[in-house]
Amino acid sequence: MAKTLNILISTVLILLFISPSQSHSFSKRLSPNAIGLKKEKLTHLHFYFHDIVSGKNITAIPITKPATNSSTLFGTIFMADEPLTAKPDINSKLIGKAQGMYASASHTEIGLLMVFNFVFTEGKFNGSTLSLLGHNAVLSGVREMPILGGSRVFRFARGYAQAKTHTFDPKTNNAIVEYNVYVFHY
């Protein structure tokens, strides 16, 4: 029995080593230079995010409602296409849109799960995007959320965004949020 097992193991090992070496791999290592990546840069972006949930020109709408009465609206998900402007005034220069969703993800605080692409439409960043995914404790002074990637100018992006409420209207629940984004990219 042991002799048969040894022969079987030896045969399998021989077949593994003499079989044609075809690569079935779907990946390979590359030098950053091979795809045109140059020196890494750090960029700071500053803009204002306009969250308009009531009134004219709504930019975020609820797509679910909570199953129970909740003071934090736990379970509510909003789909959004929010203007990004150079200054707090909604009529200032439009530099892009924040497209994505946010959801109330806490039973105990107003804590949002933010899933957004910042889609830039101005200047050298026109057509480029940054992807944000993170926790936003809305009632905190400054909130920090990760930047997980990007496209075009922001390929291989990584960094963080700091959000600070500029204005909030408790009658309408509309808000203007100041963003400072720090991102490494090539």
Side-chain angles (χ1 to χ4, degrees):
M1 175 82 165
K3 186 175 180 182
T4 305
L5 186 58
N6 283 341
I7 291 172
L8 182 60
I9 291 172
S10 297
T11 304
V12 168
L13 289 173
I14 289 170
L15 288 173
L16 286 173
F17 286 114
I18 63 169
S19 62
S21 60
Q22 294 178 351
S23 174
H24 297 287
S25 176
F26 59 89
S27 66
K28 64 180 176 178
R29 290 182 183 255
L30 292 175
S31 159
N33 293 337
I35 58 172
L37 297 180
K38 296 181 174 72
K39 186 179 177 185
E40 190 174 42
K41 300 176 264 306
L42 174 62
T43 297
H44 171 232
L45 300 149
H46 179 254
F47 51 82
Y48 293 85
F49 173 107
H50 297 266
D51 187 34
I52 305 166
V53 296
S54 65
K56 293 189 341 184
N57 303 317
I58 291 174
T59 62
I61 59 167
I63 56 174
T64 64
K65 299 234 183 231
T68 62
N69 282 341
S70 167
S71 62
T72 65
L73 298 177
F74 177 73
T76 305
I77 301 171
F78 289 81
M79 185 60 61
D81 186 14
E82 316 273 23
L84 302 176
T85 60
K87 296 188 176 176
D89 182 352
I90 189 70
N91 297 312
S92 69
K93 185 175 189 172
L94 181 72
I95 61 150
K97 296 286 197 100
Q99 297 174 329
M101 63 179 95
Y102 57 92
S104 179
S106 175
H107 283 289
T108 59
E109 68 171 343
I110 300 175
L112 303 176
L113 166 65
M114 305 283 285
V115 182
F116 275 97
N117 285 315
F118 294 138
V119 181
F120 297 101
T121 57
E122 264 307 306
K124 67 181 176 180
F125 302 130
N126 184 19
S128 299
T129 66
L130 287 172
S131 298
L132 176 138
L133 171 68
H135 172 71
N136 184 350
V138 173
L139 298 178
S140 297
V142 176
R143 290 89 68 191
E144 188 170 296
M145 295 164 276
I147 297 294
L148 301 177
S151 67
R152 296 187 61 140
V153 170
F154 296 120
R155 287 182 187 140
F156 294 100
R158 68 190 191 290
Y160 66 97
Q162 291 180 324
K164 180 180 178 186
T165 302
H166 182 269
T167 58
F168 173 73
D169 183 343
K171 291 178 188 170
T172 64
N173 290 326
N174 294 339
I176 300 171
V177 181
E178 179 180 12
Y179 271 81
N180 280 287
V181 178
Y182 300 88
V183 62
F184 282 105
H185 60 99
Y186 287 91

